[in-house]
Amino acid sequence: METKNPEMAIEIKQCIETWENYWHDNKNTYNEYMQFVFGNQWLDEEARVFETYKKIPLTFNKLAPMANHLLGEQRQNTPTLQCEPDESVPEQTAEVRTALVKDITINSDTNVVFQTAFQSAITGGYGAFYIDTEYENDYSFNQVIRLRKAEIPTRFYWDVSSISPCKTDGSHAGFRTRMSRDKFASIYGKKIEENIPPSNIEEGTVFNDDESVTITTHFKRIYKQEKIYKLSNGRVLDSKEFKMLEKIKVGEDEMLLDGEELVTISEERSAPRYKVKKYMYAGDYELESEDFPSEQLPVIFVDQSSFFNKEGTQVCRPFFKDTKDAQRYINYLGTQSAYLVKIGRYDQFLIAAGNARSNDTAQIWRDPSNLQGGLKFDEVASGFIPQQLKPPELSMALVQQYERAERDIQTCTGMYNTMMGEQGNETSKLAIDARTKRGNYNTHLPFDSLNRAISVAGQIVNEMIPKVYDTERTMMLNMKEKGMTAVPINKPMDEYGGQMQNDMTKGRYTIRLQPGPSWEGQKQEALNSMQLILQANPQLFNLIADLYVENLPLMNNLELRNRLKTIVPPEIIEAGKTGEAVPPKPQAPDPMIQIKMQELQLKQQQLQMEQQRLQMDAQEKGQDIQMRWQELEAKKQEAAAELQEMELRYLSETQRTASNEQIAHANNLVKILTAKHEQPTYKG
């Protein structure tokens, strides 16, 4: 319900004014460089001076393509987030939680969020984005987490006492948006809209006019303390989890039941906790107020590169900070060169006043381009005749200075022509890779800053998930082995709800960032490394086929990866995860060979029983059966030799089958890879 709360409105206004006074220079720098890189590079007074001398100010923008190159590289190298659970979380639940975090932070919409923040950071010195919640759709009661872009980061503000690079640890943060008065009245009512008068004078940057209303979304972070408990079994619980434990009397002592284990409290202490409140204000009116489901402020600051001056003020540096003068110099040189080319089109003559004495001659010399052939002139007593003047030539010094200014831009940014796709003087692959790597040391900084912000966003999302995704629902998630799959979360596994399938409300997780390549071509380097290994030992391909395809320059390689993964033995894949060798599973023998071996074993048993029977007969009858005994012994040895021969034949057959399978997989692989490059041929 909308209510008037002037005290809170004044508090928010003071937060904004404090930030604006602190951030004034960085805000001006942001606006200046965004305009310079992507807009007009001429100051009004400079343009007027050139126009006075009949020179048209020209722009030869070298910075915008560089910014677009960095943006394109960032789009290809978006990092991923990995959830590392504690020991109490089931493996399947941890995999679903990881997929859920990735779905929230890395999808088509959030890619735009990160790209917008990255563009603002490299161009203007800093960027921003924020995290919020909304209903899944217009007909759902389930809420979801969404990342939102900040197209104008100068309308965002933070606590000047924040310590963390992303400023999520301050006491407050927020942003301002503009809404038309008609839309505002339709949402919040005409009465409130009429009570927010227009203000033609900006008051602390919170202002309204005849056409629009400024809405401030403000987050306030409140400190509190909470007890945590360490149990005798090593588990650490917060107050809420501790209260859920059942207390049991054992003799004179009181113990706790943790699952099926009796435990006691080994340690306890107070730990800092935070509560975040979200407000929306327009003028003195509180439009919305609610608890926000995280402990960190959800407004994330994205730094490009900054330092603190002697007054302790943070100073942001755009990526193109040191290139501005070189870019302006290029524009000056280009304008001057174009002017020389322009005036060089017209022939100029040195004449005496008497050479154009008569009216018809004066008309000819006033516009000599009207005549075809020679130009008439009037003779003078001194005998002076018109002399053609050589037009000014384009000086090579201008060309050299132009090339020097281009090199200055490349030196300041670390982005050389070879990185932008031009052919360099390097001939060997190692030299090309070395140049690429050296150039990317400088461009790695803005990528790393964005990755840090994405990591913080992952931590905040991880804090929000237990409170937002707390109902039973089915979600489409990109699972590691199955791709896009419908996955149930918080689904009761019994009628009492004691056990939950993929419970998102419990368990502790640590968010780790798995960055993408820090420069263009890192995947190619990994591919080259594996190719060197395969050159030394081609038979190793069956052990690294799944890793090899991961680094191929293919956008959609899931099917190819899954096919190649079938030729890698399962024990090798498992060993790659754990680092420990896994013994291979015994192969099932051929049923026919098994039957034959059983028949031979039965025959041996029958012969042995026959020997025992004859031995008993010999003892009873006292007859000499030495010849019969030797005959049976020979048959017994013959059966043993036949059994050994069958065992050797079984081992040989097993090896031959495995070899045939490897050959078949290799042939399939050749067909898959060669099919990507074959082009249809046409006759006619």
PDB file of all heavy atoms in Angstrom, residues 233 241 267 270 407 605 683:
ATOM      1  N   ASN A 233      29.904 -33.693  16.258  1.00  0.00           N
ATOM      2  CA  ASN A 233      30.212 -34.422  15.026  1.00  0.00           C
ATOM      3  C   ASN A 233      30.835 -33.542  13.947  1.00  0.00           C
ATOM      4  O   ASN A 233      31.026 -33.965  12.813  1.00  0.00           O
ATOM      5  CB  ASN A 233      28.949 -35.090  14.478  1.00  0.00           C
ATOM      6  CG  ASN A 233      27.854 -34.076  14.134  1.00  0.00           C
ATOM      7  OD1 ASN A 233      28.040 -32.877  14.325  1.00  0.00           O
ATOM      8  ND2 ASN A 233      26.732 -34.571  13.637  1.00  0.00           N
ATOM      9  N   GLU A 241      18.578 -23.647  12.214  1.00  0.00           N
ATOM     10  CA  GLU A 241      18.833 -25.081  12.088  1.00  0.00           C
ATOM     11  C   GLU A 241      18.985 -25.731  13.455  1.00  0.00           C
ATOM     12  O   GLU A 241      18.565 -26.872  13.671  1.00  0.00           O
ATOM     13  CB  GLU A 241      20.093 -25.298  11.248  1.00  0.00           C
ATOM     14  CG  GLU A 241      19.958 -24.866   9.797  1.00  0.00           C
ATOM     15  CD  GLU A 241      21.276 -24.876   9.060  1.00  0.00           C
ATOM     16  OE1 GLU A 241      22.326 -24.632   9.699  1.00  0.00           O
ATOM     17  OE2 GLU A 241      21.274 -25.111   7.841  1.00  0.00           O
ATOM     18  N   GLU A 267      31.054 -25.978  20.579  1.00  0.00           N
ATOM     19  CA  GLU A 267      31.386 -24.558  20.602  1.00  0.00           C
ATOM     20  C   GLU A 267      30.181 -23.757  20.144  1.00  0.00           C
ATOM     21  O   GLU A 267      29.332 -24.256  19.405  1.00  0.00           O
ATOM     22  CB  GLU A 267      32.573 -24.240  19.672  1.00  0.00           C
ATOM     23  CG  GLU A 267      33.902 -24.805  20.098  1.00  0.00           C
ATOM     24  CD  GLU A 267      35.013 -24.389  19.142  1.00  0.00           C
ATOM     25  OE1 GLU A 267      35.304 -23.176  19.066  1.00  0.00           O
ATOM     26  OE2 GLU A 267      35.559 -25.270  18.460  1.00  0.00           O
ATOM     27  N   SER A 270      28.823 -15.779  18.512  1.00  0.00           N
ATOM     28  CA  SER A 270      27.983 -14.855  17.754  1.00  0.00           C
ATOM     29  C   SER A 270      28.658 -14.534  16.429  1.00  0.00           C
ATOM     30  O   SER A 270      29.870 -14.293  16.381  1.00  0.00           O
ATOM     31  CB  SER A 270      27.747 -13.568  18.544  1.00  0.00           C
ATOM     32  OG  SER A 270      27.008 -13.835  19.713  1.00  0.00           O
ATOM     33  N   ARG A 407      49.949   4.075 -34.111  1.00  0.00           N
ATOM     34  CA  ARG A 407      50.790   3.213 -33.273  1.00  0.00           C
ATOM     35  C   ARG A 407      50.642   3.591 -31.804  1.00  0.00           C
ATOM     36  O   ARG A 407      50.683   2.718 -30.922  1.00  0.00           O
ATOM     37  CB  ARG A 407      52.253   3.315 -33.704  1.00  0.00           C
ATOM     38  CG  ARG A 407      52.551   2.655 -35.039  1.00  0.00           C
ATOM     39  CD  ARG A 407      54.043   2.459 -35.230  1.00  0.00           C
ATOM     40  NE  ARG A 407      54.758   3.733 -35.192  1.00  0.00           N
ATOM     41  CZ  ARG A 407      54.997   4.488 -36.257  1.00  0.00           C
ATOM     42  NH1 ARG A 407      54.570   4.102 -37.453  1.00  0.00           N
ATOM     43  NH2 ARG A 407      55.662   5.618 -36.146  1.00  0.00           N
ATOM     44  N   GLN A 605      35.839 -84.079 -13.904  1.00  0.00           N
ATOM     45  CA  GLN A 605      35.267 -84.610 -12.669  1.00  0.00           C
ATOM     46  C   GLN A 605      34.855 -86.074 -12.838  1.00  0.00           C
ATOM     47  O   GLN A 605      35.056 -86.908 -11.939  1.00  0.00           O
ATOM     48  CB  GLN A 605      34.065 -83.755 -12.245  1.00  0.00           C
ATOM     49  CG  GLN A 605      34.433 -82.351 -11.806  1.00  0.00           C
ATOM     50  CD  GLN A 605      33.209 -81.502 -11.524  1.00  0.00           C
ATOM     51  OE1 GLN A 605      32.063 -81.983 -11.667  1.00  0.00           O
ATOM     52  NE2 GLN A 605      33.435 -80.251 -11.130  1.00  0.00           N
ATOM     53  N   LYS A 683      27.784 -31.163 -61.121  1.00  0.00           N
ATOM     54  CA  LYS A 683      28.197 -31.368 -62.506  1.00  0.00           C
ATOM     55  C   LYS A 683      27.266 -30.589 -63.414  1.00  0.00           C
ATOM     56  O   LYS A 683      26.076 -30.510 -63.183  1.00  0.00           O
ATOM     57  CB  LYS A 683      28.151 -32.849 -62.854  1.00  0.00           C
ATOM     58  CG  LYS A 683      29.126 -33.699 -62.019  1.00  0.00           C
ATOM     59  CD  LYS A 683      29.055 -35.151 -62.421  1.00  0.00           C
ATOM     60  CE  LYS A 683      30.014 -36.021 -61.615  1.00  0.00           C
ATOM     61  NZ  LYS A 683      29.951 -37.431 -62.001  1.00  0.00           N
TER      62      LYS A 683
END
